Amino acid sequence: MEEKRQEKSVDVIIPVYKPDKKLQLLLKRLGEQSYPVRRIIIMNTERSYWKDEEYGWVPNLEVHHVTKEEFDHGGTRNQGAGYSEADIMVFMTDDAVPADGNLIGALVKGLDQTGKGGEKVVLAYGRQLPNPDCALAEQYTRSFNYPEQSRVKTGGDLKELGIKTFFASNVCCAYDRAAFLEAGGFIKRTIFNEDMIYAGNAVRHRGQAVAYAADANVYHSHNYGCIAQFKRNFDLAVSQADHPEVFEGIRSEGEGIRLVKKTCAWLLKVKKPWLIPGVIVKSGFKYMGYLMGKRYRSLPEGLVLSFTMNREYWKKER
């Protein structure tokens, strides 16, 4: 029984920048998984930030270095995938910490499903739980985007779910490697959102499915301020504007409005109404960032560079 459960090999690929104790904990938890990890492939940005002696205890670890100028959200992950020969590749970020020893097994199980019409699941993403220091409103955002119920999403869900049909996150996401290679991997050059672009193409153009594995849990959250949210949403919208083949005809603003309304209602329910103005202000920054990103081609270069989170992206040949 155990043999059958572990017949598919798994590599974990982690882009790393300025590693800290969270990465140490992430690597420790990967070593405690009930479903074994074959290799851990680190794609580290800037050689000077990586200290080999701090990771000698990690078995089956291999490290590859890129410069900050070379790093790309899609391209660097593709490079990491090129070092893998496993059946399944799990992409994670260096600040996502497995909540328990079930993470890899739950992701593998998530891939072993089909959609209602027999569509093949080609990626399965996990649930992101808030860190202990997570702000209260952000805790609700986590539960909104990552609910308790697992789900397989296909093209048949577009009418009901809209852009959420493509929602997936490389914070913690498993990919069928054969399907990944057949699809050509992630978009070679992207500012952001390589996971949703891949998922959108899978659903819209290849008739495949995306799985959300609610029992594959990692701790991951950020307490972004208004400016950081503006910049993040600017980059998100740039990625959508650059890929009409995925996002055209599918509005995402409605999902943002629904989140604001539900967050405010939840804050009233937990008797924290004084937090509501902050949610509304921050949501305004998100929306303005999104609007600017959608129209980035008509903005002066100086404004684009001040609005983006990823200045290196704009320095490369487009």
Side-chain angles (χ1 to χ4, degrees):
M1 180 76 178
E2 191 71 9
E3 244 183 5
K4 186 178 179 186
R5 188 173 149 264
Q6 296 180 357
E7 62 190 357
K8 289 184 177 175
S9 55
V10 175
D11 285 344
V12 178
I13 301 168
I14 311 172
V16 170
Y17 182 55
K18 295 185 178 178
D20 58 17
K21 287 183 179 177
K22 262 194 184 164
L23 178 63
Q24 298 259 1
L25 184 54
L26 161 55
L27 295 173
K28 178 177 179 289
R29 295 270 175 91
L30 285 178
E32 297 166 351
Q33 293 298 303
S34 57
Y35 195 109
V37 173
R38 176 178 166 271
R39 273 194 304 167
I40 299 171
I41 299 166
I42 299 287
M43 297 302 299
N44 176 66
T45 300
E46 294 300 340
R47 179 72 183 82
S48 60
Y49 293 133
W50 184 267
K51 304 291 183 281
D52 285 320
E53 63 274 13
E54 292 182 9
Y55 302 94
W57 55 273
V58 185
N60 305 319
L61 181 74
E62 66 177 71
V63 184
H64 304 271
H65 301 284
V66 297
T67 65
K68 196 171 180 184
E69 291 73 29
E70 290 168 334
F71 176 83
D72 182 87
H73 282 281
T76 301
R77 285 178 170 86
N78 283 342
Q79 192 179 335
Y83 298 123
S84 173
E85 295 175 351
D87 301 310
I88 294 168
M89 301 180 299
V90 174
F91 287 90
M92 297 184 72
T93 54
D94 59 4
D95 58 348
V97 177
D100 52 41
N102 185 50
L103 176 70
I104 300 299
L107 289 171
V108 172
K109 189 178 171 187
L111 279 174
D112 193 25
Q113 301 179 88
T114 54
K116 294 188 194 104
E119 300 90 342
K120 177 181 173 61
V121 169
V122 292
L123 69 154
Y125 68 99
R127 185 181 186 195
Q128 296 181 32
L129 303 173
N131 287 313
D133 66 347
C134 185
L136 198 63
E138 179 59 23
Q139 288 180 31
Y140 183 80
T141 299
R142 282 277 165 267
S143 66
F144 179 86
N145 287 328
Y146 302 95
E148 293 180 359
Q149 300 79 29
S150 296
R151 180 163 188 169
V152 174
K153 300 178 289 186
T154 69
D157 294 308
L158 277 166
K159 190 172 180 184
E160 178 199 348
L161 297 179
I163 200 164
K164 271 288 185 78
T165 311
F166 312 147
F167 185 75
S169 175
N170 275 343
V171 163
C172 175
C173 192
Y175 291 78
D176 179 293
R177 182 169 159 272
F180 182 88
L181 293 176
E182 192 178 328
F186 296 118
I187 204 82
K188 304 294 183 294
R189 184 174 180 282
T190 181
I191 190 168
F192 189 51
N193 220 23
E194 77 292 334
D195 34 28
M196 280 186 70
I197 294 166
Y198 182 94
N201 276 316
V203 170
R204 286 193 95 167
H205 303 300
R206 296 194 291 273
Q208 296 167 334
V210 173
Y212 167 54
D215 49 350
N217 296 325
V218 293
Y219 289 107
H220 179 265
S221 59
H222 294 287
N223 291 322
Y224 286 135
C226 290
I227 300 301
Q229 289 286 14
F230 176 98
K231 291 185 172 193
R232 181 179 170 82
N233 276 43
F234 178 84
D235 288 355
L236 175 71
V238 167
S239 75
Q240 292 186 13
D242 281 349
H243 293 282
E245 77 282 359
V246 174
F247 299 104
E248 196 165 67
I250 300 175
R251 287 175 61 84
S252 59
E253 291 94 328
E255 195 64 17
I257 293 166
R258 195 164 75 90
L259 173 58
V260 174
K261 287 179 177 176
K262 283 187 164 277
T263 303
C264 292
W266 181 74
L267 288 171
L268 284 172
K269 185 180 174 183
V270 298
K271 299 182 170 55
K272 305 278 185 181
W274 57 88
L275 295 176
I276 290 175
V279 169
I280 293 170
V281 169
K282 193 173 282 189
S283 299
F285 274 84
K286 286 183 184 179
Y287 185 57
M288 286 306 297
Y290 184 81
L291 286 182
M292 292 296 102
K294 279 284 194 180
R295 295 158 177 77
Y296 83 89
R297 291 186 183 89
S298 63
L299 299 177
E301 185 182 349
L303 266 187
V304 168
L305 289 175
S306 67
F307 287 169
T308 185
M309 256 189 171
N310 188 355
R311 291 173 69 92
E312 296 297 329
Y313 172 80
W314 301 96
K315 295 176 186 175
K316 300 171 190 168
E317 285 294 320
R318 286 179 62 71

